[in-house]
Amino acid sequence: MRVLAVASEMHPLVKTGGLADVVGALPAALKAQGVELVTLLPGYPAVLRAVAGAKAVKRYPDLFGAPARLLKAEGLLVLESHALFVRDGGLYGDATGTDWPDNLQRFAALASVAADIATGDRKAFRPDLVHLHDWQAALAAAYIRFGPADVPSILTIHNLAFQGRFDAAQFPLLGLPQEAFGIDGVEYYGGVGFLKAGLRFADAITTVSPTYAQEIRDPAFGMGLDGLLNERAGQLHGILNGIDTDEWNPATDRLIAARFSAGKLAARARNKRAVEQLFALQPGEGPIFCVVSRLTWQKGMDLLVDALDALVAMGGRLALLGSGDRAIEGAMLAAAARHPGRIGVRIGYDEAVSHQLQAGADAILVPSRTEPCGLTQMYGLRYGCVPVVARTGGLADTVIDANEAAVAAGVATGLLFDLVNAQSLRAVLQRAVDLHADADSWRAMQRAGMRADFSWGRSAARYAALYRSVLAARG
Ligand code: ADP
């Protein structure tokens, strides 16, 4: 089976978020499922550097106002358009964070070229199916629907918050027939909606966890798209992301003080001492909680601020690594100043420290208000760093709560809490402190988590099964 993936980011070439990790991991994982995946990317400078010397297989003399070429490299097709994709600044906006004024043209170009490839160009690629990722690729489903290509499409939502909305006056620029602009087309609340169009025309829709797939059908989570998502509920699937189990392997990790495994948990103690040193924490009996996160409202970090005095009063300690909202950063630093030796805070992004925290802390806190999938709780499970997480999205799908039955059966892997507010957060922290005091139960929880499988193989098998069922439905 041949699949054309279309995305704006792909690890390790270009990345601003989790989308890039998924797009980067799927080709190898799907190969093992008998799927040949070729990924179409915009020719950002970093992408062009990576495919230097690649052959042009197609030319577009006038693609949204400028000449463009399609370059072919190993597993990649790159849309080279200097006018659209080569510029200083971010992928989607300038250095100040203002969206590029021509984002409609930029990603309509990507989508229309995807639809063109889908017609089966001999030199480029002949896909059986196209797999679109997020709003930047979503409009391809509309170009396919109103064009000559006859292949099914799948759209994956990585983040419903980014929808690709534009003014209705720009609709004629897309080159789609007028009939495409309507409630059953690309029209979205009086404007143009790229993600909305994809959700309307794709043969199937996926998002990155089963619980999030349910949640986004609710107005509280649906961000304006819940109505359409409900209409298409029969074609909406949740497929959990995997993690890179080579990069995140406590038995081989070079970034941590002592390597360990489920059978050799005692070696973890050295990593705990390293965390104490790095975050200037006093040694103690109570658990060290850690946080590795963007410091934002979505992540529930404002609630954590309100629970910190209580956390310390319970005998817990906190090592926090993150950056984000200035107000939350300031409040975390203030808490560290109030509780020297009990709370340590590092503002910034640091890959090595993130590994060291997972390897040495007792528990990782993820009190998100929403979480499509989430990665840090899966890293925590793999490193014996017990996740204490809100029951939402992918967090709910990856952690088994330590209720009495689960503890007795030896299957608990972490702690879940409902109703994300300061009070429920304090309650779950107390529950974690109490459980941690029972060393045998805690160790059993660590081991159960370390046995769980979050490799990409499982996700890839589900994507491959979906590809097959979508193709079968087309006959
Ligand atoms: P989101 O994509 O919403 O930020 P995820 O949990 O899906 O949340 O992914 C976050 C990723 O970024 C994880 O790999 C996490 O380890 C990493 N990360 C977040 N903040 C930091 C930080 N301050 N330093 C190092 N890594 C971080």
Side-chain angles (χ1 to χ4, degrees):
M1 192 189 328
R2 289 181 305 268
V3 176
L4 176 71
V6 187
S8 167
E9 302 183 22
M10 184 179 195
H11 179 75
L13 301 177
V14 265
K15 169 168 172 173
T16 69
L19 155 72
D21 292 319
V22 179
V23 174
L26 280 179
L30 278 164
K31 195 170 177 188
Q33 302 288 333
V35 177
E36 182 191 356
L37 199 66
V38 166
T39 307
L40 172 67
L41 291 172
Y44 299 121
V47 177
L48 292 179
R49 278 196 298 278
V51 301
K55 260 204 343 252
V57 288
K58 206 150 191 190
R59 283 162 210 281
Y60 300 94
D62 179 6
L63 184 68
F64 291 85
R69 302 190 307 165
L70 188 63
L71 308 179
K72 186 173 182 177
E74 181 67 35
L76 291 178
L77 288 166
V78 174
L79 179 56
E80 179 198 62
S81 163
H82 292 275
L84 295 176
F85 299 120
V86 178
R87 53 184 72 169
D88 293 331
L91 301 186
Y92 312 116
D94 63 20
T96 70
T98 307
D99 284 351
W100 294 120
D102 58 348
N103 274 347
L104 172 126
Q105 288 92 329
R106 298 171 77 222
F107 295 103
L110 181 71
S112 66
V113 167
D116 184 41
I117 297 167
T119 58
D121 187 273
R122 187 175 49 81
K123 279 203 229 153
F125 188 52
R126 283 174 200 255
D128 301 308
L129 181 150
V130 297
H131 186 169
L132 311 170
H133 294 273
D134 272 355
W135 75 268
Q136 301 92 336
L139 198 64
Y143 283 116
I144 291 172
R145 164 73 178 70
F146 293 101
D150 185 25
V151 298
S153 58
I154 290 176
L155 172 62
T156 295
I157 307 166
H158 300 266
N159 192 336
L160 198 59
F162 301 116
Q163 302 187 345
R165 294 179 69 168
F166 303 95
D167 202 274
Q170 291 189 287
F171 173 77
L173 297 175
L174 298 177
L176 284 164
Q178 189 57 39
E179 61 174 303
F181 190 76
I183 186 146
D184 284 326
V186 304
E187 189 268 334
Y188 183 49
Y189 292 110
V192 168
F194 279 25
L195 187 67
K196 189 272 173 152
L199 294 175
R200 167 53 65 206
F201 293 122
D203 291 71
I205 301 162
T206 77
T207 187
V208 289
S209 72
T211 296
Y212 193 63
Q214 282 296 322
E215 287 171 343
I216 57 178
R217 294 171 54 190
D218 186 294
F221 288 87
M223 307 190 102
L225 289 164
D226 42 285
L228 176 54
L229 288 164
N230 273 309
E231 235 179 271
R232 302 225 51 205
Q235 292 86 44
L236 174 61
H237 309 267
I239 301 180
L240 265 180
N241 287 340
I243 60 172
D244 185 327
T245 48
D246 294 326
E247 196 178 330
W248 290 91
N249 181 354
T252 56
D253 193 332
R254 301 251 152 244
L255 298 172
I256 60 180
R259 282 162 279 285
F260 62 98
S261 60
K264 292 202 175 104
L265 265 182
R268 227 178 159 272
R270 267 185 61 201
N271 296 317
K272 186 162 178 176
R273 282 198 297 280
V275 168
E276 287 172 346
Q277 270 168 11
L278 196 57
F279 284 83
L281 299 177
Q282 290 159 3
E285 286 294 304
I288 296 181
F289 295 95
C290 77
V291 168
V292 180
S293 182
R294 294 187 284 116
L295 302 181
T296 63
W297 186 88
Q298 183 225 317
K299 297 288 180 183
M301 287 295 132
D302 53 317
L303 299 172
L304 181 59
V305 165
D306 293 339
L308 288 182
D309 292 340
L311 182 154
V312 171
M314 292 168 199
R317 288 167 287 162
L318 176 75
L320 177 140
L321 170 67
S323 63
D325 289 356
R326 295 288 173 271
I328 298 179
E329 290 180 359
M332 293 294 184
L333 289 168
R338 271 200 315 281
H339 300 288
R342 312 292 301 174
I343 295 181
V345 169
R346 288 169 80 103
I347 301 298
Y349 191 97
D350 191 322
E351 193 72 27
V353 174
S354 76
H355 283 243
Q356 288 151 15
L357 283 170
Q358 299 279 12
D362 295 293
I364 180 157
L365 286 173
V366 194
S368 304
R369 289 186 166 88
T370 64
E371 195 61 80
C373 179
L375 292 171
T376 59
Q377 84 282 9
M378 292 195 266
Y379 300 151
L381 288 166
R382 199 157 156 76
Y383 276 63
C385 187
V386 173
V388 177
V389 305
R391 196 188 303 274
T392 186
L395 300 173
D397 292 327
T398 51
V399 178
I400 301 173
D401 180 54
N403 61 39
E404 279 191 33
V407 171
V411 297
T413 60
L415 284 83
L416 286 156
F417 66 105
D418 293 303
L419 193 73
V420 186
N421 59 42
Q423 194 184 349
S424 62
L425 181 55
R426 278 197 293 272
V428 81
L429 289 172
Q430 185 65 60
R431 203 150 71 83
V433 169
D434 294 345
L435 251 172
H436 181 260
D438 174 357
D440 287 344
S441 298
W442 194 264
R443 227 178 352 258
M445 226 168 19
Q446 289 177 297
R447 292 212 169 101
M450 292 177 85
R451 280 197 300 268
D453 175 12
F454 295 111
S455 62
W456 273 104
R458 268 171 44 148
S459 312
R462 302 224 27 219
Y463 279 113
L466 180 63
Y467 293 166
R468 291 198 181 92
S469 77
V470 164
L471 279 172
R474 280 284 185 108

